[in-house]
């Protein structure tokens, strides 16, 4: 090339253009590759920490991807700044875009945040029988955005995690044992002590009833039409409904055999006859 025809001094061109721009480009490339390596190392380290903390694999993958994407974006912005690009407007644009997306997805983000809290604090796990957002069933799946319950009548209910986390959560499976509360009413004319002895005998004879804590049979209430006896045995959680249903049937049959009346509500009506 004939530099004289272009009226350019090769030394001046090298000193003023090629060397400064070449240095900036090389520096930006170095910053990008080094920054990407650091971002990957931080992401992998964070993943290992979360895996050691026994977090759900789904949450580990999701958070790792978020952290990796954010770090890579920062590396790109920093690399562009080495080329002399004004990144202030770019950062402002990204912030505005993030705000717009956040406002558009505010409900989904609230469910996501609730899902993260549920997975971190684990108030229940898959397989537990729970009452969530007014629905009772066995937890089948916990995702970032929703929780799935399978009801005893084989229906599947999908509940947004925001509703689950903001409401009352009752876990019936977390504790290994449960107390079965049963109330049996007998007539005022029936033998109270005999009825108590029958209930004590029946719960102590059932192999599912735990010895410690000991079952309790007491007079609970002197109601309008009956004397109510409360029976409170302790069982393993898996035996709760089995014992409850069996006791309801057996107590009725046994009381009938022993002549102990199970009354029903009655109302006496007195009519006055006009003269």
């Amino acid at each position: 090339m004939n530099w004289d025809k272009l009226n350019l001094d090769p030394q001046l061109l090298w000193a003023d253009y090629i060397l400064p721009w070449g240095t900036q480009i090389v520096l930006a490339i170095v910053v990008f590759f080094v920054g990407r390596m650091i971002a990957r190392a931080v992401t992998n380290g964070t993943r290992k920490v979360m895996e050691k903390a026994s977090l759900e694999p789904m949450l580990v993958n999701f958070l790792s991807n978020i952290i990796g994407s954010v770090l890579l974006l920062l590396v790109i912005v920093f690399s562009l700044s080495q080329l002399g690009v004004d990144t202030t407007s770019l950062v402002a644009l990204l912030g505005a875009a993030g705000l717009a997306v956040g406002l558009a997805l505010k409900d989904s983000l609230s469910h996501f945040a609730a899902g993260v809290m549920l997975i971190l604090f684990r108030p229940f796990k898959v397989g537990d029988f729970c009452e969530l957002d007014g629905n009772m069933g066995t937890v089948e799946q916990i995702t970032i955005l929703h929780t799935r319950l399978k009801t005893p009548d084989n229906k599947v209910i999908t509940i947004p995690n925001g509703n689950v986390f903001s409401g009352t959560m009752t876990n019936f499976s977390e504790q290994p044992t449960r107390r079965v509360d049963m109330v049996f009413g007998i007539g005022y004319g029936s033998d109270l002590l005999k009825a108590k002895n029958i209930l004590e005998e029946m719960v102590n004879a059932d192999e599912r009833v735990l010895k410690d804590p000991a079952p309790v049979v007491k007079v609970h209430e002197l109601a309008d039409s009956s004397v109510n006896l409360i029976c409170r045995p302790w069982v393993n959680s898996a035996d709760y409904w089995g014992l409850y249903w069996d006791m309801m049937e057996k107590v009725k049959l046994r009381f009938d055999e022993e002549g102990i009346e199970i009354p029903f509500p009655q109302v006496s009506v007195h009519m006055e006859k006009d003269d």
Side-chain angles (χ1 to χ4, degrees):
M1 178 179 292
N2 191 344
W3 297 105
D4 295 333
K5 293 182 178 180
L6 296 176
N7 295 322
L8 292 176
D9 184 355
Q11 294 182 352
L12 183 63
L13 182 64
W14 172 265
D16 292 346
Y17 296 98
I18 297 178
L19 183 60
W21 275 100
T23 303
Q24 290 180 343
I25 292 174
V26 171
L27 182 60
I29 293 175
V30 171
V31 168
F32 175 78
F33 282 102
V34 173
R36 190 173 66 171
M37 292 174 58
I38 295 175
R40 286 180 178 177
V42 172
T43 303
N44 292 333
T46 305
R47 178 187 291 273
K48 291 180 180 179
V49 170
M50 291 188 290
E51 289 175 348
K52 287 184 179 179
S54 300
L55 297 183
E56 294 291 332
M58 177 181 56
L59 180 60
V60 172
N61 292 333
F62 185 84
L63 293 180
S64 297
N65 291 334
I66 292 294
I67 293 172
S69 300
V70 172
L71 291 178
L72 183 59
L73 182 62
L74 293 176
V75 169
I76 293 174
V77 171
F78 191 66
S79 299
L80 291 175
S81 67
Q82 301 304 310
L83 294 174
V85 177
D86 185 9
T87 57
T88 304
S89 57
L90 178 60
V91 172
L93 180 61
L94 293 175
L99 179 61
V101 172
L103 292 175
L105 301 176
K106 61 178 181 178
D107 292 334
S108 297
L109 291 176
S110 67
H111 297 322
F112 164 76
V116 172
M117 299 299 288
L118 290 175
I119 294 175
L120 287 176
F121 291 103
R122 297 180 181 178
F124 52 84
K125 62 182 183 298
V126 173
D128 287 350
F129 188 83
C130 301
E131 182 177 0
L132 307 175
D133 195 32
N135 301 284
M136 296 181 65
T138 302
V139 179
E140 277 206 327
Q141 186 182 33
I142 306 171
T143 69
I144 290 295
L145 296 178
H146 62 263
T147 299
R148 287 164 56 94
L149 289 181
K150 185 176 181 180
T151 64
D153 57 348
N154 214 30
K155 293 185 295 187
V156 176
I157 301 176
T158 301
I159 309 172
N161 283 335
N163 296 6
V164 174
F165 194 75
S166 62
T168 300
M169 296 174 281
T170 304
N171 190 338
F172 297 98
S173 302
E174 182 174 348
Q175 299 299 322
T177 60
R178 289 182 62 187
R179 190 182 71 187
V180 185
D181 291 353
M182 298 172 287
V183 178
F184 301 100
I186 65 173
Y188 274 93
S190 299
D191 190 332
L192 173 62
L193 297 180
K194 182 179 180 181
K196 284 186 61 179
N197 291 334
I198 290 173
L199 291 177
E200 291 173 351
E201 174 191 337
M202 293 181 68
V203 295
N204 289 323
D206 197 304
E207 296 180 353
R208 294 167 295 186
V209 175
L210 303 177
K211 303 303 180 184
D212 185 22
V216 173
V217 178
K218 297 292 183 181
V219 176
H220 181 62
E221 182 184 15
L222 301 178
D224 294 337
S225 303
S226 63
V227 177
N228 293 333
L229 301 176
I230 192 166
C231 180
R232 290 179 171 176
W234 285 82
V235 297
N236 293 320
S237 296
D239 295 328
Y240 180 91
W241 287 112
L243 179 77
Y244 182 90
W245 290 326
D246 288 347
M247 284 292 294
M248 288 294 153
E249 179 180 348
K250 292 179 179 179
V251 167
K252 173 62 171 66
L253 296 175
R254 182 70 181 276
F255 277 7
D256 288 345
E257 291 178 0
E258 300 292 339
I260 297 175
E261 178 191 5
I262 300 179
F264 51 86
Q266 302 180 30
V267 177
S268 297
V269 179
H270 301 275
M271 301 181 66
E272 295 184 358
K273 184 177 180 180
D274 296 336
D275 294 336

